[in-house]
Structures are given as C-alpha cells and as structure tokens.
Amino acid sequence: MNSELKDVYFHDAGLIGYQKAWDLQEQFFALTVGEKIRLRSENNTSQLPENHFIYCEHTPVYTLGKSGRISNLLLTEVELKQKGIDFYRINRGGDITFHGPGQIVGYPIIDLDQFFTDIHRYLRYLEEAVILTLQDYGIQSGRIEGLTGVWIDGHDHSKARKICALGVKCSRWVTMHGFAFNVNTDLNYFKHIIPCGIDDKEVTSMQHELGTEMEIDEVKTKLTAHLCALFGWNPVYTETTI
C-alpha cells in the first residue's frame, strides 16, 4: 500500500430503492473507468481517477449474483409483489442476499491500481473493517475458511451465523458492489431465501446479538474510520442528491 493517503469521496444516499443505487454506482464506475482510460492514453501520471464510496439503506430487495441459483429464492413472483419485496439479477459475484432498512450497505467504486491489485486482499480488508467495528461493540467475529463475509461463532458449525455479506465486481481494477452489514435488519426477510446459497447456517444482526437497537450513524462512523485506516483512504464527505 502506498503511504500517501488517497482521497475517497463518501456519499450517503440514505434509504433508496435498489435500482437508484445501482444506477448511481454505474455512473461513478463509468466516470472512474473513463478517466482512467483517458489519463493512460495521455500518458498523464500526475493525475489519478477519482475514488467513490456510497453508503445507503435499501427498501426491501433480494439480489441474485451472476453465479447464483434462482432456486435459492423461496418466493414466487406473485408472493414477492404481495410482500412488497423487489428482486434483481445483478452482475456481482456471489449468490442471493437481502437488503433492507436497518442494514448498512457499502458500495466502494475504487481504483485498486492506486492501492493494490489483489481482489482477495480487497475482500479481506472489507471484512476486517466490519470485524473491527463489531469489536468496538464487544462482539467477537471472524471468517470461515472458504466463505466470504463476516461470521459470529464461525468456529462452531452448529452456531455459526453471518452478520455481513460481500459480493463485488471488478473491471480494469475498478470495483463496484460491496457489502451488506446487518445492524438493525429485520431478519425475517432471510427466511424466504437460502442466504448466499448456504442452507446450514443462520443470519444475525447487531441488534439481535446485543438485544438493543443500534444507532446506525454511529456504527457507520466507526466503520468508515476502520475502512480508511486499513486502505489508506482520506475521506472527503459530499452531499449526494438522488
């Protein structure tokens, strides 16, 4: 990692529908990739493409990654409409997951050429930021070998439960999509899917683990600090209008 901090523009989009957030990601992704191509064509080494990070919460939605199985969605199209839940097939890795209110969703649109070109290291850093944030609240968590995401009691197969899911896309070493961190999430929504295609482990949230509703902005502040420390980001806060 370079010792010099790189600016990352943080946008908090609040509670929005999935399509709007996806469009916003695509907008920033296209800008970053386009700028990267332009600067290289001009042999311009004095400038760098901008890096962005979108925080949001979604209205209820299930998303299925490009390698996911539709059989892991346990509702019909009619039942989805009855329950007011959207559904999208998307171009990230991973299987099916849920996004909804009370969940911190983070979408980094980062040019990894400015940091390190290692997607596995990138995923581990995202996980580590969540692990450290949970530790701030006295919740011990970690990883399970061979699986992405952050787990509680991951060492015990009978008790392991997932608190943060990851699914990313990377093209020209620019990332998009990201993570979904269950803070005050209604866990009942996970009963209608096989989360991430894993049918023998539970899903949890900070609220469920601690028995109290969390202040989501406080959690987000701690998470941002850990992300910036791990990656070497200088956070630049912006006003995002959707």
Side-chain angles (χ1 to χ4, degrees):
M1 184 192 304
N2 296 334
S3 58
E4 182 183 352
L5 297 180
K6 301 291 194 309
D7 286 348
V8 175
Y9 293 89
F10 276 75
H11 313 265
D12 197 325
L15 180 66
I16 60 171
Y18 188 81
Q19 186 65 58
K20 287 185 177 181
W22 196 359
D23 290 346
L24 188 60
Q25 281 194 80
E26 292 281 9
Q27 174 188 330
F28 286 135
F29 182 82
L31 286 170
T32 299
V33 169
E35 187 71 354
K36 188 172 185 176
I37 292 170
R38 183 186 68 80
L39 292 170
R40 285 191 172 178
S41 70
E42 295 173 356
N43 199 27
N44 184 341
T45 57
S46 63
Q47 291 180 268
L48 294 170
E50 288 185 352
N51 296 294
H52 297 271
F53 190 106
I54 304 167
Y55 272 130
C56 66
E57 295 177 58
H58 287 306
T59 52
V61 60
Y62 297 122
T63 65
L64 183 68
K66 59 186 178 182
S67 59
R69 298 172 59 188
I70 190 62
S71 59
N72 290 327
L73 173 62
L74 307 179
L75 296 175
T76 65
E77 186 175 340
V78 171
E79 289 170 328
L80 285 170
K81 288 182 179 178
Q82 289 173 342
K83 293 179 181 297
I85 307 172
D86 292 326
F87 173 74
Y88 289 89
R89 294 176 182 266
I90 58 175
N91 59 352
R92 61 160 169 78
D95 207 286
I96 196 165
T97 195
F98 168 75
H99 299 310
Q103 184 185 70
I104 295 176
V105 177
Y107 295 130
I109 297 90
I110 302 295
D111 175 20
L112 288 180
D113 267 324
Q114 299 179 36
F115 303 95
F116 50 79
T117 50
D118 183 335
I119 197 65
H120 295 289
R121 183 177 171 189
Y122 170 70
L123 289 168
R124 301 298 82 79
Y125 275 21
L126 293 179
E127 291 167 347
E128 188 67 18
V130 173
I131 290 168
L132 292 172
T133 301
L134 290 168
Q135 196 173 83
D136 289 338
Y137 291 91
I139 300 174
Q140 299 305 308
S141 62
R143 302 175 180 86
I144 296 178
E145 187 174 353
L147 299 175
T148 59
V150 178
W151 301 79
I152 295 174
D153 287 335
H155 61 283
D156 187 333
H157 184 86
S158 65
K159 294 181 180 179
R161 50 207 185 274
K162 195 173 202 176
I163 197 165
C164 181
L166 276 73
V168 304
K169 174 189 172 183
C170 186
S171 178
R172 295 181 182 267
W173 290 113
V174 178
T175 66
M176 63 179 292
H177 299 297
F179 62 84
F181 180 15
N182 294 329
V183 180
N184 299 319
T185 317
D186 182 349
L187 300 178
N188 287 314
Y189 284 100
F190 290 97
K191 295 177 181 178
H192 304 305
I193 60 173
I194 300 174
C196 304
I198 302 168
D199 61 5
D200 62 348
K201 294 180 176 61
E202 297 296 319
V203 177
T204 190
S205 67
M206 291 184 71
Q207 182 180 25
H208 183 75
E209 294 298 319
L210 296 175
T212 185
E213 186 172 352
M214 308 303 298
E215 174 51 59
I216 203 161
D217 285 338
E218 179 187 272
V219 178
K220 203 180 295 179
T221 297
K222 293 180 184 294
L223 177 59
T224 300
H226 290 306
L227 285 165
C228 291
L230 286 163
F231 281 98
W233 296 345
N234 175 51
V236 179
Y237 298 100
T238 66
E239 292 290 333
T240 298
T241 302
I242 302 299

